[in-house]
Amino acid sequence: MPAHPIEVDKNDARYEALRRGFNQRWIATPDYVVVATSKEDVAAALSKFLGNSANAARRVTVRAGGHCYENFVCSSDVGVIIDVSQMNRVYYDASMDAYCVEAGATNWQTATQLYRTSGRALPGGSCYSVGSGGHISGGGYGLLSRQFGLTVDYLHAVEVVTVADGKTPDVTVARKDSEDPALRDLWWAHTGGGGGNFGVITRYWFRGLPKPPAQVLLRSVAWKWKELQARPELFKSLVRRYGQFFEHEQAGTLPESLRAYTFRDMFTLLKLTHVSAEKVGLIVQLDGTRQDSPARLKAFLGYITEGFTTGARTYVDETVLDRQMGEHSAQKETFIPTLLPWLTATQTLNESGPNRCGKYKSAYHTKAFTNDQIDAIHRHLTATGPYANPDALLQVDSYGGAVNDTAPDATAVPQRSSVLKLQYQVYWTWDKDADRNGVYDYRDAERDADIAEPHLKWIRDFYQDVYHKTHGVPAVPDP
């Protein structure tokens, strides 16, 4: 281990790669990037940064996996980035009687190391390269969450390099059962309060982690936009009934035909793409150790696609999900319901998408969509006009289940009554040599704001229109 943290400055060939994260829209110009391999490295990096008066107007930021959607890490006011991705061990810590996950461990590293050694799992995200540091402190949510809850529901302790006096870094371990109320508060703040506000997270510890199902059942399916455009009422019915299913499931008011089943182990991703993508898609995962899983899958699909087939007439056919949709690549192999070991299935859905620019907005719904919201969704996804982007979509994740078993004040996660989690997404590449140097890169976007503007306008208008009548965003004056 080096005596001092590794510093990668502008003269180092690694600088170009380390000054950016996954979203190519945000590229910082720090004085250097610290590649930390220990909590001592983090403390030394903070001490140096805070001791330099020239940094008074600049920020020090932290990167674990680099999946920060916005410019919280890679913005123009960043002086130093502390990269903790090399701190990526996952192991059982006998001294804490808990499983330790270092902040730089990715979702895939955590999944494989935990499962192979203990048979246990964090119920966290499916994007393989997301780092634990920010993912867990934001709550931690993924394909196992409806069955087992959020990652923070199992958080026992967190190690944070804090700077209480603004000058001197100190390594602090805050536990759920700490005698000091201030330490319990610091633990609580890391149970969904987000990162970057209290210090640099270096390690997490978890107790009582669940064992995922030995097998899971996967199914992916798509429907052609051409057929949905011919019967727009069926697209609206799909969105309406998808939301109603999870609202009723949470309330225990599913139709009689579905009450013979339970669905808390079922996780779904509805991919409502822009019409230029030609298809909308759905990915479903259920506990495959249950003998009734094929029947439950069929019942769920039958409920949300009511009216697609009437008697001998089929208006909207099931088809293969054979193209990239958001962060997930084509899922052709699981068009036929497929039983796979949990770890294998996790790898199958372990996507982060290609390197490109992106803009994201999120929302949680406690009920199904209103008619006005469905109309707005349909309007923005089918409008072609001057904007047509097959990489623009609204992804609707199932929520609730075990997530909502935990009281809202038990952690910093407030949305314990939600049944849907929405992710508005739009992706693009530069596609224009604005600086006329013969290549496409971030400098083209710096030269020409019009490269990003159509995409930003689309997602902002979309989001505002969906929540205009419910005032889910700052109220827009009526014309």
Side-chain angles (χ1 to χ4, degrees):
M1 182 180 294
H4 301 286
I6 300 167
E7 293 182 359
V8 177
D9 63 19
K10 298 176 183 179
N11 298 315
D12 193 305
R14 295 169 291 179
Y15 182 78
E16 278 298 327
L18 300 187
R19 72 189 182 110
R20 68 184 76 193
F22 188 75
N23 187 350
Q24 299 305 299
R25 186 178 168 211
W26 307 117
I27 300 175
T29 55
D31 295 331
Y32 54 89
V33 178
V34 175
V35 180
T37 59
S38 66
K39 60 189 177 185
E40 290 80 13
D41 280 357
V42 172
L46 285 174
S47 182
K48 179 178 178 178
F49 178 84
L50 296 170
N52 185 350
S53 60
N55 289 325
R58 306 186 77 190
R59 293 191 301 134
V60 59
T61 59
V62 187
R63 178 175 59 228
H67 272 261
C68 191
Y69 282 162
E70 296 296 336
N71 62 341
F72 304 133
V73 174
C74 297
S75 62
S76 59
D77 63 343
V78 172
V80 172
I81 298 173
I82 299 177
D83 187 317
V84 299
S85 61
Q86 298 305 296
M87 302 166 62
N88 54 24
R89 295 182 304 154
V90 180
Y91 58 95
Y92 177 73
D93 184 346
S95 66
M96 190 72 79
D97 188 23
Y99 291 95
C100 180
V101 176
E102 293 185 340
T106 64
N107 280 339
W108 184 237
Q109 289 169 329
T110 302
T112 55
Q113 293 184 59
L114 266 180
Y115 190 70
R116 286 171 177 161
T117 58
S118 69
R120 300 181 184 275
L122 281 181
S126 60
C127 292
Y128 75 96
S129 54
V130 169
S132 296
H135 179 59
I136 293 170
S137 65
Y141 157 81
L143 277 70
L144 292 175
S145 290
R146 278 178 41 83
Q147 189 171 8
F148 298 117
L150 303 177
T151 60
V152 293
D153 297 341
Y154 301 89
L155 183 64
H156 174 65
V158 59
E159 181 180 82
V160 193
V161 182
T162 58
V163 190
D165 62 0
K167 299 177 182 178
T168 309
D170 183 44
V171 178
T172 301
V173 175
R175 299 167 48 136
K176 184 177 183 178
D177 57 359
S178 294
E179 292 184 5
D180 185 344
L183 289 178
R184 290 200 303 273
D185 286 346
L186 183 60
W187 166 85
W188 187 89
H190 288 87
T191 61
N197 299 315
F198 306 101
V200 181
I201 302 162
T202 49
R203 288 191 288 180
Y204 297 97
W205 287 271
F206 298 89
R207 285 183 175 176
L209 287 176
K211 293 184 176 182
Q215 304 270 344
V216 296
L217 182 66
L218 293 185
R219 174 91 204 275
S220 63
V221 63
W223 301 279
K224 292 180 181 179
W225 257 118
K226 181 178 180 181
E227 295 175 355
L228 292 170
Q229 281 183 291
R231 301 290 298 265
E233 74 277 7
L234 292 181
F235 172 84
K236 294 180 181 183
S237 175
L238 172 68
V239 177
R240 179 180 298 108
R241 293 179 71 83
Y242 180 85
Q244 287 174 340
F245 180 92
F246 292 103
E247 177 184 344
H248 289 309
E249 188 253 354
Q250 180 68 33
T253 56
L254 282 171
E256 190 68 36
S257 60
L258 295 173
R259 290 183 193 172
Y261 304 119
T262 59
F263 293 92
R264 284 166 64 98
D265 62 300
M266 184 177 73
F267 185 90
T268 61
L269 298 161
L270 180 61
K271 306 273 192 174
L272 302 175
T273 59
H274 187 266
V275 66
S276 56
E278 299 181 343
K279 292 183 179 182
V280 300
L282 175 72
I283 299 170
V284 184
Q285 175 179 296
L286 300 95
D287 183 340
T289 65
R290 292 180 50 172
Q291 291 186 349
D292 65 351
S293 287
R296 292 186 297 133
L297 173 62
K298 183 178 180 180
F300 168 70
L301 287 171
Y303 178 85
I304 66 173
T305 61
E306 184 181 82
F308 281 27
T309 298
T310 304
R313 181 80 178 272
T314 297
Y315 298 102
V316 182
D317 267 318
E318 288 186 349
T319 185
V320 178
L321 203 168
D322 57 358
R323 59 205 62 198
Q324 181 90 29
M325 290 188 181
E327 294 176 338
H328 286 92
S329 61
Q331 300 289 322
K332 295 183 291 184
E333 294 77 11
T334 54
F335 177 65
I336 297 173
T338 303
L339 192 66
L340 291 170
W342 171 78
L343 191 61
T344 306
T346 300
Q347 185 176 33
T348 298
L349 298 179
N350 216 349
E351 297 281 353
S352 292
N355 291 113
R356 50 190 172 174
C357 301
K359 172 63 180 174
Y360 311 79
K361 298 181 80 67
S362 297
Y364 291 88
H365 287 211
T366 59
K367 295 182 180 298
F369 296 97
T370 67
N371 288 335
D372 288 330
Q373 289 172 339
I374 293 170
D375 288 343
I377 291 168
H378 183 261
R379 185 161 54 248
H380 287 270
L381 293 180
T382 57
T384 51
Y387 188 82
N389 179 5
D391 292 319
L393 71 153
L394 167 58
Q395 177 177 298
V396 190
D397 299 6
S398 53
Y399 208 73
V403 175
N404 292 353
D405 290 345
T406 299
D409 60 352
T411 67
V413 176
Q415 60 271 7
R416 297 287 187 169
S417 59
S418 299
V419 296
L420 300 172
K421 177 182 174 70
L422 277 66
Q423 300 179 50
Y424 297 78
Q425 307 170 34
V426 60
Y427 302 93
W428 68 94
T429 54
W430 299 290
D431 287 338
K432 184 177 181 181
D433 185 13
D435 59 3
R436 300 179 183 275
N437 68 346
V439 298
Y440 295 156
D441 67 2
Y442 72 94
R443 291 168 292 193
D444 296 311
E446 291 178 345
R447 182 68 63 87
D448 187 353
D450 287 343
I451 291 176
E453 186 55 33
H455 308 288
L456 301 180
K457 176 175 171 50
W458 179 84
I459 195 170
R460 288 167 178 162
D461 289 349
F462 185 9
Y463 192 87
Q464 196 154 10
D465 195 11
V466 171
Y467 301 110
H468 170 56
K469 290 196 174 182
T470 57
H471 304 296
V473 292
V476 180
D478 290 326

